[in-house]
Amino acid sequence: MNKKRILVVDDEASLRETISELLIEKNYSVMTAENGYEAIVLLEYWTPDLIISDIMMPVMDGYEFQGIVKENELLSHIPFIFLSAKNGEAEKEKCMLNGVDLFVTKPFKIENLIKIINVKIERFEKITNAYNTLNNSAHFSHEIKTPLSGILGSINHLIERKDSFQKNEIDMFYNSIKTSGEVLNRTLKNAILYSDLKKNALEFLNDSSSKILDEFEKVKDGIAKTNEIQSKRIICKIVESNIKIEAEYLHFILFELINNALKFSKINKRIVIEGKKYNDEFYELKIQDYGVGFSQKEIKEIKANQQFDRDDTEQQGLGLGLYLCMTFVKKIRGVFSINSQKNVGTTIIIYFPLHNEKLK
């Protein structure tokens, strides 16, 4: 069973270390930061199950830190406890109105804080399990029903009129069923990944390793089996290297980004993929298409369940793919950037951390 994670943010080193040591003794996984800014950097790749934060801190105080957490889709649901030397009712009211779960006045008994933490995490886990759904349930329902209708409709035609179809017509129905099945499978997989990410159930192990060329070839072969014409549009030059990421996540990132590049480019346009060692720490992957592109405003607004120009581009899916790719790269301490221009194209550049072990 995975240990529950707690982030402790306090500029007072002795208190920070005391709380941390006691929580570790209670079998919690703990990370610490001495101000809100350090905590925000840490949260880019490590997601806690509960946050304990002081209010008065240098660089970035607790209020500003909590405000940033509250605005982040993946972090906003995490229980947040404020510690403060102030004991005024106005201070407590301000915290509660800002969405803080609890206000604990200094000095306090560590044993009481531990009890509070246990209760908050247990309650949060129950709420999460009881209400584990995507933000837009109607959208989710639509994206399940559309490919499912395609599958059932084709099967019904085959059953009801099986003797009246020619072989080429039957093959057309089979292909339609296969395509709809793959869309449905991908939609469900992305929904499960997003759900697990929200529950903090995904592991991003620091000693993971994947060979990028191997995973790329698997992705390209998978695309070719579905649509050989599409796969021929891919121009690539990838130098093999060991990347510090689980093969499952690397495969997901490559498939989503390459599939999007193909889907949102004109059929007569190729996409270009280049990958090479950038320096001793990072591997650079570049994916360039000549498609519909993003505006700068749209790039800033990328999030889960977000799709742009859905009607014009006839998109299917939950709008999770790009968001999950960006999040996974952050979790492994990589860098994800998008350069794009409307109706010109998009270039995505990712810097993956290299695994220390040399290629065999």
Side-chain angles (χ1 to χ4, degrees):
M1 184 176 179
N2 294 333
K3 292 181 179 181
K4 294 300 180 182
R5 302 176 177 185
I6 298 179
L7 172 61
V8 180
V9 189
D10 199 304
D11 63 324
E12 189 179 335
S14 59
L15 179 60
R16 189 172 68 238
E17 290 167 8
T18 299
I19 296 173
S20 177
E21 288 172 4
L22 287 171
L23 288 171
I24 291 171
E25 285 182 10
K26 298 294 182 180
N27 206 33
Y28 287 110
S29 175
V30 183
M31 295 281 280
T32 64
E34 64 177 71
N35 58 61
Y37 176 78
E38 281 190 9
I40 291 297
V41 172
L42 191 154
L43 289 172
E44 287 287 323
Y45 59 86
W46 192 82
T47 305
D49 297 288
L50 184 140
I51 298 172
I52 302 170
S53 176
D54 190 14
I55 293 180
M56 303 302 293
M57 297 181 291
V59 185
M60 181 187 289
D61 67 19
Y63 289 127
E64 186 177 356
F65 168 52
Q66 192 264 341
I68 293 172
V69 169
K70 188 172 66 173
E71 293 300 316
N72 186 297
E73 183 175 358
L74 276 181
L75 306 176
S76 59
H77 61 292
I78 297 172
F80 200 107
I81 297 174
F82 258 148
L83 306 178
S84 178
K86 296 183 178 181
N87 194 22
E89 287 302 319
E91 193 82 19
K92 291 181 181 180
E93 185 178 352
K94 179 180 178 181
C95 292
M96 297 307 173
L97 289 174
N98 285 338
V100 175
D101 293 84
L102 194 66
F103 183 98
V104 177
T105 305
K106 296 180 182 179
F108 52 84
K109 291 183 178 180
I110 294 293
E111 296 81 4
N112 290 341
L113 181 63
I114 298 293
K115 289 178 182 178
I116 290 169
I117 289 167
N118 291 335
V119 170
K120 286 292 179 183
I121 286 184
E122 183 179 351
R123 181 173 178 272
F124 172 64
E125 192 170 28
K126 287 179 179 178
I127 292 172
T128 303
N129 291 334
Y131 187 71
N132 181 25
T133 184
L134 289 168
N135 292 337
N136 192 340
S137 58
H139 183 194
F140 179 69
S141 176
H142 171 75
E143 295 303 332
I144 294 298
K145 288 178 180 177
T146 300
L148 189 58
S149 296
I151 294 169
L152 295 177
S154 295
I155 291 173
N156 285 336
H157 278 300
L158 288 171
I159 292 173
E160 293 169 2
R161 301 173 55 197
K162 61 182 178 181
D163 297 328
S164 62
F165 289 122
Q166 301 295 320
K167 183 181 182 305
N168 66 318
E169 293 176 317
I170 293 174
D171 289 341
M172 181 183 69
F173 280 116
Y174 285 156
N175 287 331
S176 175
I177 292 168
K178 185 174 184 292
T179 299
S180 294
E182 287 169 347
V183 170
L184 181 59
N185 183 53
R186 183 181 171 202
T187 298
L188 292 173
K189 279 186 173 180
N190 286 10
I192 291 168
L193 275 174
Y194 178 70
S195 175
D196 287 344
L197 191 65
K198 290 275 284 185
K199 292 189 296 182
N200 205 14
L202 297 182
E203 289 288 338
F204 296 85
L205 304 175
N206 197 43
D207 59 349
S208 298
S209 176
S210 304
K211 292 186 176 180
I212 191 165
L213 183 56
D214 284 356
E215 290 306 318
F216 171 77
E217 293 295 344
K218 291 176 186 176
V219 169
K220 190 177 179 184
D221 288 346
I223 292 172
K225 288 177 183 177
T226 304
N227 191 326
E228 189 174 353
I229 295 175
Q230 286 283 64
S231 70
K232 290 180 178 179
R233 294 171 56 202
I234 301 172
I235 306 300
C236 65
K237 184 179 179 182
I238 294 182
V239 179
E240 182 66 291
S241 192
N242 271 12
I243 308 301
K244 193 184 290 187
I245 186 174
E246 287 90 337
E248 175 190 359
Y249 299 144
L250 179 57
H251 188 97
F252 176 88
I253 291 168
L254 292 173
F255 176 81
E256 288 293 332
L257 296 182
I258 293 170
N259 187 64
N260 280 350
L262 291 168
K263 182 166 62 174
F264 296 113
S265 297
K266 292 181 180 178
I267 195 67
N268 62 337
K269 295 289 186 179
R270 295 180 174 182
I271 68 168
V272 180
I273 303 171
E274 298 176 319
K276 62 182 179 180
K277 186 177 178 182
Y278 180 73
N279 57 25
D280 291 338
E281 295 183 20
F282 290 97
Y283 183 94
E284 181 187 60
L285 179 70
K286 185 185 296 184
I287 301 175
Q288 184 173 12
D289 69 53
Y290 302 91
V292 297
F294 295 97
S295 68
Q296 292 304 305
K297 181 176 182 292
E298 288 171 341
I299 291 174
K300 292 178 181 178
E301 292 176 350
I302 291 172
K303 58 183 179 180
N305 305 320
Q306 178 68 60
Q307 293 183 330
F308 304 106
D309 301 327
R310 180 180 174 87
D311 295 334
D312 294 338
T313 56
E314 298 181 350
Q315 295 183 51
Q316 283 186 308
L318 297 170
L320 289 174
L322 182 56
Y323 174 79
L324 288 172
C325 288
M326 296 172 71
T327 303
F328 289 172
V329 171
K330 285 183 178 180
K331 292 289 186 182
I332 62 167
R333 307 192 195 189
V335 179
F336 191 111
S337 68
I338 302 177
N339 297 311
S340 189
Q341 188 175 342
K342 273 285 190 181
N343 301 317
V344 175
T346 300
T347 299
I348 290 177
I349 301 176
I350 303 175
Y351 292 96
F352 290 103
L354 287 166
H355 194 270
N356 291 329
E357 183 183 1
K358 293 182 180 179
L359 286 172
K360 297 179 180 179

